[in-house]
């Protein structure tokens, strides 16, 4: 959906001749677009307040402020000739009038807009200065209406973003413990900005877009990540889709940066680092599907490391098909600079990334090998006792094996746990003669011994 700009909406509210031929089109758009209706409501409220203030200004006793200023008269000379001593609120409003006249064409004569509209615009600006716009505090997903609702700290809904397939991707985020929408102070100005990788209404869902909006729903930036790349002679040209993101502190410790994952199908995956203005600072390329993205302070230094999780497809390349294997990667976000690749999946033609602190491969069990099933990390969470909980499964409906790995903050393996579902699948495969192992503590210890760590 192509939104109306604020100037057009303001002219529509004023009934200006400039948009007379577009009234029906604008009205139809406002009926469909909640975001633009919010802007319309704001203008209606501002001009209602401006009318009230205008009436108050009419009572000034020296007659220097007429009720209606003719279109042939400039506001600027009129303001400079006004010398009455007035109360502080009126001084603030009139003081802002002068600078507004110089910067906004609506505040000058002519153009088919009545002079009262110019005064209203001045007063509206002054009122905006005097009363800060509510700052976003959190978001709420509204899948029934496909809306991302943004709320202030007093639990008042401020505005909404229309989304595509909200229920589907929010279920994925909830199941994996990931996020595609965050409220964050990007610039360190104390106000909340809304950052999202969610596909919004009116845009191509197969586009890896990161968007940021300020507290007034103004688009701060829109950035597409991911480029056509080659891996070991195969060309990957499909447009990517943005997936989870995390927010980390910038290098100065005053603002925020965005770490986001994008992928196309299974492989490859790119993890990009964006600054507060949407500029891409660095990329980490990996051959495999890294759908999980998390941020934890692992070493207790007050800065969060980023963990990306999913699969490596290094054994499933063109001409040599095989299954995927579960992996997760620890990344230092501040070292994401330039374009580099994982040391574990060489083949893009980039140099090895300095940001990759640790690369961990988790084994496939004998059950998955017997069934020729791929495995992947589906979620990572921090437990109550500060361990990292890493779930490995194959997401197969009929043979859904799951193993839970527990790591310390230094990424040393603590334990491996099985599930009741595993026991039933293991017993069946053993009866069929496809495996010979016993699912016991020794079995789990062997899995732990097969964890591979690249430091």
């Amino acid at each position: 959906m192509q939104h109306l700009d604020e100037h057009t909406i303001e002219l529509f509210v004023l009934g200006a001749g400039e948009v007379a031929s577009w009234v029906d089109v604008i009205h139809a758009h406002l009926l469909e677009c909640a975001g633009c209706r919010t802007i319309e409501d704001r203008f209606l409220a501002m001009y209602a307040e401006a009318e009230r203030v205008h009436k108050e200004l009419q009572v000034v006793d020296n007659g220097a402020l007429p009720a209606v200023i003719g279109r042939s008269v400039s506001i600027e000379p009129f303001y400079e000739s006004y010398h009455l001593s007035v109360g502080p609120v009126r001084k603030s409003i009139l003081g802002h009038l002068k600078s507004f006249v110089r910067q906004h064409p609506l505040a000058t004569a002519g153009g088919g807009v009545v002079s009262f509209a110019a005064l209203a615009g001045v007063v509206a600006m002054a009122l905006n200065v005097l009363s800060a716009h509510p700052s976003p505090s959190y978001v709420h997903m509204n899948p029934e209406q496909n809306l991302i609702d943004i709320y202030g700290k007093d639990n008042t809904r401020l505005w909404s973003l229309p989304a595509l397939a909200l229920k589907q991707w929010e279920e994925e985020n909830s199941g994996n413990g990931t996020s595609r929408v965050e409220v964050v102070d990007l610039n360190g100005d104390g106000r909340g900005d809304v950052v999202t990788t969610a596909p919004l209404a009116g845009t191509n869902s197969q586009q890896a877009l990161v968007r940021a909006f300020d507290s007034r729903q103004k688009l701060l930036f829109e950035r597409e990540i991911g480029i056509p790349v080659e891996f070991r002679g195969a060309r990957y040209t499909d447009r990517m889709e943005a997936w989870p993101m995390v927010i980390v502190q910038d290098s100065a410790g005053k603002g925020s940066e965005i770490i986001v994952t994008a992928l196309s199908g299974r492989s490859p995956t790119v993890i990009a680092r964006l600054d507060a203005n949407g500029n891409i600072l660095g990329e980490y390329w990996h051959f495999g599907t890294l759908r999980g993205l998390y941020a934890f302070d692992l070493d207790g230094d007050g800065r969060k490391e980023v963990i990306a999780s999913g699969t490596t497809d290094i054994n499933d390349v063109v001409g040599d098909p095989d299954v995927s294997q579960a992996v997760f990667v620890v990344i230092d976000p501040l070292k994401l600079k330039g374009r580099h690749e994982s040391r574990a999946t060489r083949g893009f033609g980039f140099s090895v990334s300095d940001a990759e602190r640790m690369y961990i491969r988790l084994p496939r069990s004998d059950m998955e090998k017997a069934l020729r099933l791929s495995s992947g990390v589906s979620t990572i969470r921090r437990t109550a006792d500060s361990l990292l909980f890493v779930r490995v499964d194959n997401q197969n409906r009929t043979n859904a094996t799951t193993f839970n790995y527990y790591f310390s903050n230094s990424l040393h393996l603590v334990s491996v746990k099985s599930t009741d579902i595993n026991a039933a699948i293991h017993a069946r495969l053993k009866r069929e003669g496809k495996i010979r192992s016993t699912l016991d503590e020794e079995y789990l210890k062997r899995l732990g011994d097969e964890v591979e760590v690249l430091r």
Side-chain angles (χ1 to χ4, degrees):
M1 179 182 294
Q2 184 67 39
H3 295 290
L4 301 172
D5 62 78
E6 292 195 8
H7 182 66
T8 299
I9 298 174
E10 183 178 15
L11 292 175
F12 174 78
V13 168
L14 295 172
E18 286 90 333
V19 296
S21 60
W22 295 92
V23 166
D24 291 341
V25 175
I26 296 172
H27 181 68
H29 178 85
L30 291 172
L31 289 176
E32 296 180 357
C33 180
C36 290
R37 281 201 309 275
T38 300
I39 298 174
E40 180 196 23
D41 292 341
R42 193 165 73 237
F43 278 124
L44 288 170
M46 288 194 301
Y47 281 110
E49 179 65 15
E51 182 176 7
R52 182 189 66 78
V53 175
H54 182 71
K55 290 178 180 179
E56 287 186 8
L57 293 174
Q58 284 183 284
V59 303
V60 178
D61 58 8
N62 73 342
L65 183 62
V68 178
I69 305 170
R71 288 195 297 177
S72 62
V73 179
S74 168
I75 294 179
E76 178 69 27
F78 160 72
Y79 172 78
E80 291 182 341
S81 67
Y82 185 70
H83 298 296
L84 270 185
S85 176
V86 294
V89 173
R90 285 183 183 169
K91 278 182 68 176
S92 176
I93 292 174
L94 294 175
H96 287 293
L97 184 146
K98 185 174 181 179
S99 60
F100 186 89
V101 167
R102 289 173 175 165
Q103 299 175 31
H104 294 75
L106 279 179
T108 59
V113 181
V114 295
S115 57
F116 169 70
L119 178 61
V122 176
V123 175
M125 189 206 75
L127 292 174
N128 273 340
V129 172
L130 293 172
S131 59
H133 193 77
S135 176
S137 181
Y138 66 94
V139 299
H140 173 73
M141 304 305 165
N142 184 347
E144 290 76 17
Q145 298 182 356
N146 263 333
L147 292 176
I148 303 170
D149 293 327
I150 288 81
Y151 284 79
K153 64 180 180 180
D154 61 351
N155 299 322
T156 300
R157 189 175 70 172
L158 305 179
W159 39 275
S160 301
L161 291 172
L164 293 173
L166 177 59
K167 183 177 181 179
Q168 176 184 344
W169 63 256
E170 182 56 17
E171 286 177 350
E172 292 172 352
N173 286 333
S174 297
N176 298 333
T178 53
S179 173
R180 297 182 76 169
V181 186
E182 292 288 342
V183 176
V184 61
D185 179 3
L186 283 176
N187 299 306
D189 60 1
R191 299 187 63 77
D193 304 301
V194 178
V195 184
T196 183
T197 63
L200 301 182
T203 60
N204 185 354
S205 61
Q206 292 298 320
Q207 212 173 347
L209 293 177
V210 183
R211 299 180 179 90
F213 300 84
D214 68 8
S215 60
R216 297 177 182 272
Q217 202 181 352
K218 176 184 176 183
L219 181 66
L220 296 175
F221 66 79
E222 177 179 283
R223 178 70 62 190
E224 184 172 9
I225 60 174
I227 59 169
V229 293
E230 286 189 4
F231 185 81
R232 298 185 180 181
R235 182 75 170 167
Y236 293 83
T237 59
D238 291 343
R239 299 185 85 164
M240 307 183 90
E241 182 180 358
W243 277 73
M245 65 175 180
V246 293
I247 305 298
V248 297
Q249 197 175 51
D250 65 14
S251 57
K254 297 180 180 179
S256 302
E257 293 179 343
I258 305 159
I259 311 297
V260 60
T261 296
L263 60 144
S264 175
R266 292 183 61 193
S267 298
T269 295
V270 61
I271 298 175
R273 173 191 176 198
L274 281 65
D275 67 14
N277 298 312
N279 301 309
I280 297 177
L281 303 178
E283 294 177 343
Y284 169 88
W285 285 86
H286 177 267
F287 195 75
T289 303
L290 300 178
R291 294 179 184 270
L293 202 63
Y294 312 90
F296 304 108
D297 180 6
L298 297 176
D299 51 18
D301 65 352
R303 287 189 176 275
K304 292 181 178 179
E305 287 73 41
V306 171
I307 298 180
S309 65
T311 69
T312 173
D313 295 336
I314 196 65
N315 295 321
D316 187 13
V317 294
V318 176
D320 185 21
D322 200 349
V323 293
S324 302
Q325 184 175 353
V327 298
F328 67 96
V329 191
V330 181
I331 294 172
D332 183 341
L334 294 182
K335 291 185 178 180
L336 276 174
K337 300 176 182 179
R339 183 170 289 145
H340 301 284
E341 65 182 61
S342 168
R343 79 185 89 175
T345 62
R346 301 301 307 276
F348 293 101
F350 309 138
S351 59
V352 172
S353 175
D354 291 334
E356 186 181 274
R357 280 193 179 182
M358 199 173 300
Y359 191 97
I360 299 178
R361 283 189 287 255
L362 302 167
R364 292 169 61 233
S365 68
D366 61 348
M367 293 183 285
E368 290 161 328
K369 292 176 181 177
L371 296 166
R372 287 197 57 77
L373 296 174
S374 296
S375 61
V377 175
S378 60
T379 188
I380 295 180
R381 292 188 174 93
R382 183 72 74 93
T383 67
D385 49 357
S386 297
L387 295 178
L388 283 184
F389 165 82
V390 180
R391 172 167 290 176
V392 176
D393 58 38
N394 53 43
Q395 298 183 343
N396 183 282
R397 292 185 178 181
T398 56
N399 296 289
T401 59
T402 300
F403 291 93
N404 299 326
Y405 291 75
Y406 294 84
F407 291 85
S408 67
N409 283 336
S410 57
L411 278 303
H412 288 100
L413 182 67
V414 176
S415 63
V416 184
K417 304 293 183 183
S418 185
T419 64
D420 292 340
I421 296 177
N422 289 351
I425 296 173
H426 186 277
R428 175 171 59 82
L429 292 176
K430 195 168 184 178
R431 286 196 305 271
E432 294 171 355
K434 295 180 179 179
I435 59 175
R436 309 173 86 179
S437 62
T438 300
L439 186 56
D440 55 12
E441 287 300 319
E442 185 61 30
Y443 181 101
L444 299 176
K445 183 180 181 303
R446 284 197 303 271
L447 282 180
D449 291 341
E450 293 175 10
V451 172
E452 299 177 80
V453 180
L454 300 179
R455 297 180 186 270

